[in-house]
Amino acid sequence: MPLRDGRLSHDIDPSDRAPQDACGVFGVWVPAEQAARAEVSKLTYYGLYALQHRGQESAGIAVSDGSRIVVFKDMGLVAQVFDESVLNTLRGHIAVGHCRYSTTGSPTWENAQPTFRSTDDGGLALVHNGNLINTPELAARLAPGELTATTDTEVLTALLAARGEGGVLEAAREILPATRGAFSLVFMDEGTLYAARDPEGIRPLVLGSLEDRGWVVASETAALDIVGARFVREIEPGELIACDGQGVRSERFAEARPKGCLFEYVYLARPDTTIAGRSVQATRVEVGRRLAREHPVEADMVIPTPESGTPAAIGYAEASGIPYGQGLVKNSYVGRTFIQPSQTIRQLGIRLKLNPLREAIEGKRLVVVDDSIVRGNTQRAIVSMLRDAGAAEVHVRISSPPVSWPCFYGIDFATRAELIAGNLSVEEIRDSIGADSLGYISLDELISASHIAKDNLCRACFDGQYPIPVEQDARGKHLLEATR
């Protein structure tokens, strides 16, 4: 059953779902004597709140008091799953938390995270951002019927929990080198917080410090800011760390082969997050400037598709000299409706989330800036809406190259057959959405704006060059469900 107030969604058109990241992860360790004051469950709650944009299907927190681990998770947003009374029951000095969007395994309670396994000498709770590409191979190490969920995260948890006398650290040393794909992991036993990042570093993971010798691990630096943690550094590709009373201990389980996700800069990360020492907001504004130089047009006003197109629209206006303005108003309080609209009123559902400012755009030549085009339904509706409101011309500018290929490393894109750029040329896409002109930033200009070397970025969704080959039988959201 859906929660009564629905689940919020940034989708303008549910039939044109934007790319979704796998999830956000968060972990915190404080000295046991600081547990009552630190309230790690509430720190984790606020950390997940800051990462809510990375996953909106389910949320969960696991807490250890030094002798046992307690897990609470459910379907829905962080604020729907947790309230004051629940958080007050989650007492301890170590916590891990997760907000999920599913990329392997259906969106069910069983697949929500943290995942937990009892062991001979305690327990293990784990959260994961990313997507493994050798899940069947890893699952083959487990006994038949051992899995209780259908996610790659459940497979990892089961393998790490079978730790024997060497403990979690020794199990991680054995399992992580054999694990392929994207994984930013945060996990814990009763006394130690651990974190690990895949050798390519595809998904982000950062380390922060709290006063009173506490440590925080999170998907983005914005989550550190929210809980008052000081950014220390990024966890390096191929690195495994352990946080406890001895401080932070680091070791390598694999050589670093950096391939950070370029799409984090385009869409996934919060604008107030920093990646590789560079503000995401600054990158997006710079992309807009470069977009204006690559695809100039005579126009009267630059407007964003709220909120995703705003930074690039600011940059486009700066570089072009065309005034920036607000032409579309987004209703921030509209959730995903559970009433399926008929075709005749589908446009009404879009207008519920976006509505044009007629007096601002009537008779104007507009440049509309957005971050990406997936299927094209949203842009088609926006162009039509602006024309109905009296726009003289509508020129669409996109702050990413055409998204032509699916992602197997933790972003739930449509299949290549569903991606409009996987089937149509730019001119055919322009005609399909009804714009007067259409311009995408080039891949080289996007890479240059990121300030990251081309060879250190994963660009697969744009150019089809996958840094880690993916076997056909390892693809698919429901690949483990067929084996149960």
Side-chain angles (χ1 to χ4, degrees), residues 331-410:
N331 184 347
S332 301
Y333 300 95
V334 175
R336 181 179 301 154
T337 176
F338 292 103
I339 301 173
Q340 297 301 314
S342 65
Q343 191 61 41
T344 56
I345 64 169
R346 190 174 300 280
Q347 188 73 15
L348 178 62
I350 295 172
R351 282 184 175 269
L352 190 63
K353 295 190 176 184
L354 272 189
N355 203 37
L357 284 168
R358 183 178 295 271
E359 65 278 9
I361 64 178
E362 193 168 12
K364 300 279 182 66
R365 297 169 299 173
L366 303 177
V367 178
V368 184
V369 181
D370 205 350
D371 57 54
S372 59
I373 300 179
V374 181
R375 294 177 177 85
N377 298 337
T378 297
Q379 286 75 20
R380 191 175 300 114
I382 288 173
V383 170
S384 175
M385 190 186 302
L386 293 172
R387 292 199 191 282
D388 289 346
E393 298 175 9
V394 182
H395 303 274
V396 175
R397 297 293 180 266
I398 304 298
S399 61
S400 68
V403 177
S404 304
W405 301 85
C407 175
F408 302 110
Y409 309 132

Side-chain angles (χ1 to χ4, degrees), residues 67-265:
S67 60
R68 65 170 185 155
I69 296 173
V70 175
V71 180
F72 189 95
K73 62 183 181 180
D74 208 343
M75 305 302 293
L77 298 170
V78 175
Q80 294 169 326
V81 172
F82 297 100
D83 57 25
E84 190 90 21
S85 62
V86 171
L87 293 172
N88 285 337
T89 65
L90 299 174
R91 299 186 179 277
H93 71 287
I94 314 175
V96 298
H98 190 267
C99 51
R100 181 177 192 244
Y101 185 86
S102 55
T103 54
T104 296
S106 298
T108 63
W109 183 89
E110 290 79 9
N111 288 339
Q113 298 181 35
T115 50
F116 175 80
R117 283 290 175 126
S118 295
T119 64
D120 292 340
D121 58 353
L124 175 75
L126 182 145
V127 295
H128 171 207
N129 177 27
N131 202 61
L132 305 186
I133 63 167
N134 66 331
T135 302
E137 174 189 323
L138 293 173
R141 298 187 178 201
L142 301 171
E146 191 171 346
L147 294 178
T148 59
T150 58
T151 65
D152 48 359
T153 310
E154 169 74 4
V155 173
L156 270 182
T157 306
L159 291 171
L160 289 171
R163 57 203 194 198
E165 296 180 0
V168 173
L169 203 56
E170 192 58 41
R173 290 168 180 155
E174 177 189 348
I175 298 302
L176 294 180
T179 303
R180 293 189 294 115
F183 55 93
S184 286
L185 305 175
V186 185
F187 50 107
M188 69 178 190
D189 56 21
E190 283 73 15
T192 305
L193 178 71
Y194 304 90
R197 195 175 178 199
D198 63 83
E200 287 73 23
I202 293 174
R203 304 262 71 84
L205 195 63
V206 295
L207 174 68
S209 64
L210 293 166
E211 296 180 0
D212 301 320
R213 298 184 293 120
W215 299 98
V216 175
V217 178
S219 291
E220 297 186 27
T221 61
L224 303 183
D225 298 336
I226 298 302
V227 302
R230 179 181 65 87
F231 171 74
V232 175
R233 63 177 177 86
E234 293 192 357
I235 293 173
E236 296 180 5
E239 183 182 16
L240 168 66
I241 69 167
C243 305
D244 57 20
Q246 301 176 50
V248 175
R249 306 187 303 283
S250 170
E251 61 183 78
R252 288 206 161 273
F253 64 86
E255 180 183 350
R257 303 184 293 269
K259 293 289 182 183
C261 174
L262 184 56
F263 207 75
E264 291 279 351
Y265 288 100

Side-chain angles (χ1 to χ4, degrees), residues 44 48 58 67 268 295 314 342 452 460:
T44 305
L48 294 180
S58 63
S67 60
L268 298 177
H295 297 285
I314 292 171
S342 65
I452 304 293

